Short mmCIF file of all heavy atoms in Angstrom, two decimals:
data_model
loop_
_atom_site.label_atom_id
_atom_site.label_comp_id
_atom_site.label_asym_id
_atom_site.label_seq_id
_atom_site.Cartn_x
_atom_site.Cartn_y
_atom_site.Cartn_z
N GLY D 504 -24.83 51.92 -41.52
CA GLY D 504 -23.58 52.14 -42.30
C GLY D 504 -23.68 51.54 -43.67
O GLY D 504 -23.10 51.98 -44.61
N GLU D 505 -24.50 50.49 -43.71
CA GLU D 505 -24.70 49.72 -44.97
C GLU D 505 -25.72 50.46 -45.91
O GLU D 505 -26.07 49.95 -47.02
CB GLU D 505 -25.14 48.31 -44.81
CG GLU D 505 -24.07 47.47 -44.19
CD GLU D 505 -24.62 46.07 -43.77
OE1 GLU D 505 -25.79 45.86 -43.85
OE2 GLU D 505 -23.83 45.31 -43.25
N GLY D 506 -26.39 51.50 -45.29
CA GLY D 506 -27.38 52.26 -46.04
C GLY D 506 -28.62 51.47 -46.24
O GLY D 506 -29.33 51.54 -47.31
N ALA D 507 -29.08 50.67 -45.28
CA ALA D 507 -30.33 49.81 -45.44
C ALA D 507 -31.47 50.68 -45.40
O ALA D 507 -31.49 51.80 -44.83
CB ALA D 507 -30.34 48.78 -44.28
N THR D 508 -32.56 50.27 -46.02
CA THR D 508 -33.84 51.00 -45.96
C THR D 508 -34.50 50.92 -44.60
O THR D 508 -34.26 50.05 -43.82
CB THR D 508 -34.85 50.41 -46.92
OG1 THR D 508 -35.09 49.11 -46.46
CG2 THR D 508 -34.25 50.34 -48.41
N PRO D 509 -35.27 51.97 -44.21
CA PRO D 509 -35.89 51.95 -42.91
C PRO D 509 -36.68 50.62 -42.73
O PRO D 509 -36.66 50.08 -41.60
CB PRO D 509 -36.93 53.12 -43.05
CG PRO D 509 -36.31 54.04 -44.06
CD PRO D 509 -35.57 53.12 -45.07
N ARG D 510 -37.33 50.15 -43.78
CA ARG D 510 -38.10 48.90 -43.62
C ARG D 510 -37.23 47.75 -43.28
O ARG D 510 -37.47 46.97 -42.35
CB ARG D 510 -38.76 48.59 -44.98
CG ARG D 510 -39.80 47.50 -44.93
CD ARG D 510 -40.33 47.20 -46.29
NE ARG D 510 -40.85 45.85 -46.26
CZ ARG D 510 -42.09 45.48 -45.95
NH1 ARG D 510 -42.93 46.52 -45.59
NH2 ARG D 510 -42.47 44.27 -45.84
N ALA D 511 -36.06 47.66 -43.96
CA ALA D 511 -35.08 46.55 -43.63
C ALA D 511 -34.60 46.69 -42.22
O ALA D 511 -34.47 45.72 -41.49
CB ALA D 511 -34.01 46.56 -44.66
N VAL D 512 -34.21 47.87 -41.83
CA VAL D 512 -33.75 48.12 -40.48
C VAL D 512 -34.76 47.59 -39.44
O VAL D 512 -34.46 46.86 -38.55
CB VAL D 512 -33.46 49.59 -40.30
CG1 VAL D 512 -33.26 49.90 -38.74
CG2 VAL D 512 -32.24 50.07 -41.08
N GLY D 513 -36.02 48.02 -39.65
CA GLY D 513 -37.12 47.59 -38.75
C GLY D 513 -37.24 46.07 -38.61
O GLY D 513 -37.27 45.45 -37.59
N GLU D 514 -37.26 45.49 -39.84
CA GLU D 514 -37.50 44.05 -39.87
C GLU D 514 -36.33 43.31 -39.18
O GLU D 514 -36.61 42.33 -38.35
CB GLU D 514 -37.61 43.56 -41.31
CG GLU D 514 -39.12 43.57 -41.80
CD GLU D 514 -39.15 43.27 -43.25
OE1 GLU D 514 -38.11 42.85 -43.87
OE2 GLU D 514 -40.19 43.51 -43.81
N GLN D 515 -35.07 43.68 -39.47
CA GLN D 515 -33.91 42.95 -38.98
C GLN D 515 -33.83 43.14 -37.48
O GLN D 515 -33.45 42.29 -36.79
CB GLN D 515 -32.70 43.40 -39.68
CG GLN D 515 -32.65 42.94 -41.07
CD GLN D 515 -31.34 42.40 -41.51
OE1 GLN D 515 -30.65 41.80 -40.70
NE2 GLN D 515 -30.99 42.55 -42.78
N LEU D 516 -34.09 44.34 -36.97
CA LEU D 516 -33.93 44.60 -35.50
C LEU D 516 -35.03 43.93 -34.73
O LEU D 516 -34.89 43.52 -33.62
CB LEU D 516 -33.96 46.12 -35.27
CG LEU D 516 -32.80 46.89 -35.87
CD1 LEU D 516 -32.80 48.38 -35.42
CD2 LEU D 516 -31.42 46.24 -35.55
N LEU D 517 -36.23 43.74 -35.38
CA LEU D 517 -37.35 43.06 -34.65
C LEU D 517 -37.07 41.62 -34.27
O LEU D 517 -37.50 41.10 -33.22
CB LEU D 517 -38.62 43.07 -35.49
CG LEU D 517 -39.49 44.32 -35.35
CD1 LEU D 517 -40.56 44.35 -36.39
CD2 LEU D 517 -39.97 44.52 -33.96
N THR D 518 -36.10 41.05 -34.99
CA THR D 518 -35.76 39.63 -34.69
C THR D 518 -35.03 39.51 -33.42
O THR D 518 -34.83 38.39 -32.89
CB THR D 518 -34.84 38.98 -35.77
OG1 THR D 518 -33.69 39.71 -35.85
CG2 THR D 518 -35.53 39.04 -37.19
N PHE D 519 -34.52 40.62 -32.79
CA PHE D 519 -33.87 40.57 -31.53
C PHE D 519 -34.80 40.43 -30.37
O PHE D 519 -34.45 40.10 -29.28
CB PHE D 519 -33.04 41.85 -31.23
CG PHE D 519 -31.68 41.87 -31.98
CD1 PHE D 519 -31.62 42.23 -33.36
CD2 PHE D 519 -30.54 41.36 -31.31
CE1 PHE D 519 -30.41 42.20 -34.00
CE2 PHE D 519 -29.33 41.37 -31.97
CZ PHE D 519 -29.26 41.80 -33.37
N LEU D 520 -36.10 40.68 -30.63
CA LEU D 520 -37.11 40.71 -29.57
C LEU D 520 -37.67 39.29 -29.38
O LEU D 520 -37.83 38.54 -30.28
CB LEU D 520 -38.12 41.73 -29.80
CG LEU D 520 -37.69 43.17 -30.04
CD1 LEU D 520 -38.80 44.15 -30.00
CD2 LEU D 520 -36.65 43.55 -28.91
N ALA D 521 -38.26 39.11 -28.26
CA ALA D 521 -38.95 37.80 -27.90
C ALA D 521 -40.29 37.98 -28.65
O ALA D 521 -40.83 39.03 -28.90
CB ALA D 521 -39.24 37.70 -26.38
#
Side-chain angles (χ1 to χ4, degrees):
Chain D
E505 293 169 356
T508 63
R510 192 186 156 85
V512 166
E514 268 171 16
Q515 293 223 31
L516 296 187
L517 274 174
T518 61
F519 281 84
L520 303 190

